Amino acid sequence: MDLKSGEPFWPIRNGLPAAYPRLKRNLKTEIAVIGAGVTGAMIADRLIVDGRDVVVLDGREVACGSTSASTALIQYEIDTPLGELAERYGEAAALSAYRACLEAIGDVERLDRETGGKGRFKARPSFYQASGAKDVDALRAEYELRARHDFPVELWDQARIGRHFDFEAPLAIWSSAGGEVDPHALTHALLARVARKGAVFDRAHVETIERVGKHTLLTLDDGLTVECKEVVVAAGYESLRFLPKIKASLRSTFAFVSDPVAAFPGWYERCLMWESARPYHYFRTKDDDRQLAGGEDTIFQNKVARDLLIPSRLRAVEEAARHRFPRLDFSVDFVWTGTFAETFDGLPFLGRHPERPGQLFALCYGGNGITYSAIAAELIAAELAGAAHPLAEVMGFERSGGA
C-alpha cells in the first residue's frame, strides 16, 4: 500500500541514519517481528531487553512507511473521550486505557533518553479546546471525569484562553502531560540497539505466515523463509492482510512543516493543540523552531484520489494555522499526506488473535499511535512470557465489536 505522498519532513531532516542488510539466507529465530516502524522497533527493543532472540523484517526500508509521515504528538488523550469510552466498556476499563497512555508518555521519553536522545523528545502540555458552543457541555463533563480521577488537567474558560492565546474558544482542557518527538530518528535509534543483539533486515517482504507444528514459518516474496516460535505483526495498516476482517477504516491526514521562525507569539508554552471537532486540526512545534500543523482528515479511497486533495486540504490547514496564530510569521516549507487507520472505538488491537495461532499483533491505530506502541511493547512482552496483562481485555481482539 502507498501510505504517503509529498515530502514528509523527518526523512528529509535525518537522511539515512543507518543502512540495514537484506536477508540472503533462510533463518531460524525465537521471535520474528514484522515491521520496522516505530511500533516494531519498540516491541523488538522490549523483547531484546527480556533476553529474547529477535529478528526484525520490513518490506520497505526502515521507518519509511507510516512512521515517516507521523506528526508525533505524544498524548495520553485518546480520540474517543474518556466519558464515551466509559459508557462503552465501563469506567474502570476506560480509566485503565487512559492511565496506560499517560504512563506511556514517560516510556517514550525514557526510550529516547536511553538511546541517546536522537528522537529529541520534549515534554509539552496539551490544549484540547471546544470547537464551538455545542461542544462545551461535553468538554466540561470530560474535564470533571478526568479531574475526579486525578489526571493532570485544568479547565480554562474563554477569558483565560484569551489571556494566553490570540484566538477565541469557549472552553478548553489544559493537560500538563504530553510531548513531541521525531519518530523517524527514534525508530532508527531503537533498531540500532536491537541490531547489537538481534538482527534487522529491510526490503524483506513477508508474503505468508503459516503455523507448522509448534513453529511459525514466514515465507518472503523471494522464497526465503524465517522459522520462529512466534511472530509479532507490527506492519501498520498492512497488517490487515494477515487478519480476518476487523472494524477499522483507513483515512488520510494532511500536514505541513513551516520554515524556522524567530518566535511563537500567541502560542502559550508551545503546547500541543487539538479540538473537539471531527475531523480536527492539530498543531505542535519542533525542536528546530518550526511549526507542524495538520488535519482535514478524509476517508481513504485510493492514492490518486488522496493526492488530488493535497492542494485544497493543505490550504485549509494553513488557513487554520494563520487564524489561530495571527502574529506567527511563517512560510510553509514541507507538505505531505499520510494514511492511517481508525478503529470503531479509538483503541488499538494488541495481542493474540483467536484465529491466528502463533501470531501476535500490534495494530496501534488511532490518533496517538506512538503511545499505543509503547503499550503494545509491554502487553506483547507479557503475553509471550505467559503473564496476564491488565489491558489485554480492553485492547484485545475479543472486545465487543472488535473482530
Side-chain angles (χ1 to χ4, degrees):
M1 185 185 296
D2 195 332
L3 297 171
K4 62 187 189 300
S5 297
E7 298 179 304
F9 178 72
W10 313 115
I12 294 172
R13 173 178 180 168
N14 299 328
L16 185 64
Y20 298 88
R22 299 188 71 152
L23 184 63
K24 295 183 179 179
R25 60 183 178 84
N26 296 337
L27 282 183
K28 291 185 179 182
T29 187
E30 182 186 6
I31 309 294
V33 176
I34 301 175
V38 67
T39 303
M42 286 189 181
I43 292 168
D45 180 72
R46 179 66 175 81
L47 297 178
I48 287 287
V49 169
D50 281 355
R52 303 280 190 176
D53 181 21
V54 178
V55 168
V56 180
L57 308 165
D58 196 295
R60 295 182 176 85
E61 293 182 343
V62 163
C64 283
S66 297
T67 294
S68 67
S70 171
T71 48
L73 283 73
I74 311 301
Q75 299 171 278
Y76 73 87
E77 294 113 321
I78 296 167
D79 281 349
T80 303
L82 177 59
E84 288 185 27
L85 211 58
E87 289 178 5
R88 181 184 288 271
Y89 296 122
E91 194 169 282
L95 286 168
S96 69
Y98 263 71
R99 285 171 176 153
C101 289
L102 182 61
E103 184 177 336
I105 296 172
D107 291 337
V108 176
E109 182 176 17
R110 172 184 55 80
L111 288 170
D112 185 47
R113 183 175 62 251
E114 289 177 357
T115 52
K118 295 179 180 178
R120 307 175 189 90
F121 180 92
K122 176 68 176 179
R124 297 287 187 198
S126 173
F127 179 88
Y128 177 47
Q129 73 171 80
S131 300
K134 64 181 177 58
D135 299 327
V136 165
D137 289 345
L139 194 75
R140 188 183 304 276
E142 178 73 7
Y143 160 77
E144 290 171 353
L145 180 57
R146 292 195 209 173
R148 187 161 67 248
H149 292 284
D150 298 321
F151 285 89
V153 292
E154 299 174 358
L155 190 66
W156 286 26
D157 62 15
Q158 186 170 5
R160 188 172 184 183
I161 294 168
R163 290 196 297 270
H164 290 91
F165 297 102
D166 290 343
F167 60 88
E168 293 185 353
L171 202 69
I173 297 175
W174 177 270
S175 295
S176 61
E180 58 192 38
V181 77
D182 178 336
H184 182 265
L186 177 61
T187 298
H188 275 280
L190 288 168
L191 289 176
R193 188 159 77 167
V194 170
R196 288 197 287 270
K197 293 185 177 180
V200 180
F201 299 98
D202 59 16
R203 296 154 296 163
H205 182 79
V206 177
E207 286 281 1
T208 62
I209 304 175
E210 301 173 84
R211 189 65 173 173
V212 181
K214 295 183 178 180
H215 292 83
T216 299
L217 187 69
L218 314 182
T219 303
L220 279 58
D221 58 359
D222 59 6
L224 291 175
T225 61
V226 176
E227 183 182 304
C228 54
K229 290 184 178 179
E230 297 195 86
V231 59
V232 179
V233 182
Y237 319 120
E238 293 176 326
S239 302
L240 296 175
R241 66 191 179 91
F242 297 115
L243 278 166
K245 184 175 178 59
I246 64 168
K247 290 186 179 179
S249 58
L250 292 181
R251 296 184 179 273
S252 296
T253 194
F254 301 82
F256 75 77
V257 162
S258 75
D259 61 343
V261 300
F264 290 91
W267 195 329
Y268 184 61
E269 293 190 13
R270 293 173 58 164
C271 59
L272 313 179
M273 307 186 77
W274 60 307
E275 59 184 329
S276 60
R278 293 296 185 271
Y280 56 83
H281 293 113
Y282 49 88
F283 308 89
R284 57 162 282 196
T285 64
K286 296 183 65 279
D287 65 294
D288 54 354
D289 294 329
R290 298 173 187 261
Q291 175 190 187
L292 190 160
E296 295 295 311
D297 299 355
T298 187
I299 294 173
F300 175 80
Q301 297 174 309
N302 56 62
K303 178 186 183 301
V304 173
R306 178 192 68 195
D307 293 358
L308 287 172
L309 292 172
I310 291 176
S312 63
R313 296 302 167 96
L314 263 299
R315 277 197 302 273
V317 172
E318 182 181 353
E319 287 171 4
R322 294 194 184 280
H323 173 75
R324 185 171 294 254
F325 309 113
R327 291 186 289 145
L328 183 59
D329 183 18
F330 72 91
S331 298
V332 173
D333 212 353
F334 300 94
V335 303
W336 70 92
T337 176
T339 296
F340 68 99
E342 287 184 340
T343 59
F344 69 100
D345 57 5
L347 293 174
F349 285 106
L350 308 177
R352 298 188 185 278
H353 191 284
E355 298 177 27
R356 295 292 184 268
Q359 302 177 36
L360 298 93
F361 292 85
L363 311 185
C364 298
Y365 299 165
N368 46 349
I370 294 177
T371 49
Y372 285 162
S373 298
I375 294 169
E378 297 302 317
L379 188 149
I380 285 173
E383 291 206 0
L384 286 169
H389 192 282
L391 293 172
E393 185 173 347
V394 72
M395 293 187 178
F397 284 93
E398 297 186 76
R399 70 181 185 264
S400 175

